[in-house]
Amino acid sequence: MRVNFTVNGRQQEADDVWEGESLLYVLRERLGLPGSKNACEQGECGSCTVRLDGVPVCSCLVAAGQVEGRDVVTVEGLAEFAKQREEHGHGGACGTGGGCGAKGGVSLDEAKRWQSKPGDSQTGEGVELSTIQQAFIDAGAVQCGFCTPGLLVQADALLEENSSPSDQDIREALSGNLCRCTGYEKILDAVRLAAARQGEAV
């Protein structure tokens, strides 16, 4: 089957998609976006987390056919997604459930209007990092880096919804993302740092 959907602000079309193929496989193998990592393939580790209509999901558990006409943001598009959110003063893409209005978000149609600039590489290289990405670097929250894309996507979603999260909020939001290297403390520091920087920018 053919699947048409938006990835990081660009319309994408995947051909010859098998019915049971995961969104993760389509992103990595068909669209050349290797940021989302293939680790457990059971939705247990969070390494493949992407935003689907604004909601963080494990892309290994989402059938490719389920994303027809929908909006996906991967770690490669996170900086541009955050930039668009900053410029427009609201949250990013919202699910079709209609719960975004109460949170100050935007409709899915409005969210789809942002586009990556033609000069930006598909892999996100050469763009200014988002606040959470820079905070991970500055706090030394990366070791092997395998879990980092999923943590970044999840942390970005947390900070979009809660600009001043408590330690408990951060731990709960990241509880589905496993890291085998860092011991998590520097990851928590990075989220705290990003929250503080966002607060200063307001």
Side-chain angles (χ1 to χ4, degrees), residues 95-139:
T96 54
C100 291
K103 296 180 182 175
V106 297
S107 70
L108 178 57
D109 288 338
E110 187 178 347
K112 284 182 178 177
R113 290 191 193 122
W114 71 268
Q115 293 287 322
S116 297
K117 294 172 185 62
D120 293 346
S121 78
Q122 187 181 20
T123 58
E125 296 171 17
V127 297
E128 185 177 338
L129 297 176
S130 70
T131 303
I132 189 64
Q133 289 171 314
Q134 191 62 54
F136 263 65
I137 293 169
D138 295 342

Side-chain angles (χ1 to χ4, degrees), residues 60-101:
C60 70
L61 296 181
V62 177
Q66 290 180 286
V67 300
E68 176 68 34
R70 298 174 77 180
D71 185 61
V72 174
V73 175
T74 70
V75 69
E76 289 92 345
L78 197 59
E80 184 64 23
F81 183 72
K83 182 178 175 187
Q84 293 291 329
R85 182 174 58 221
E86 259 179 46
E87 288 176 0
H88 299 294
H90 51 59
C94 296
T96 54
C100 291

Side-chain angles (χ1 to χ4, degrees), residues 51 54 81 85 90-94 103 105 155-163 198:
R51 295 186 75 172
F81 183 72
R85 182 174 58 221
H90 51 59
C94 296
K103 296 180 182 175
D156 180 72
L158 166 66
L159 293 175
E160 180 182 300
E161 190 168 312
N162 182 353
S163 60
Q198 284 184 354

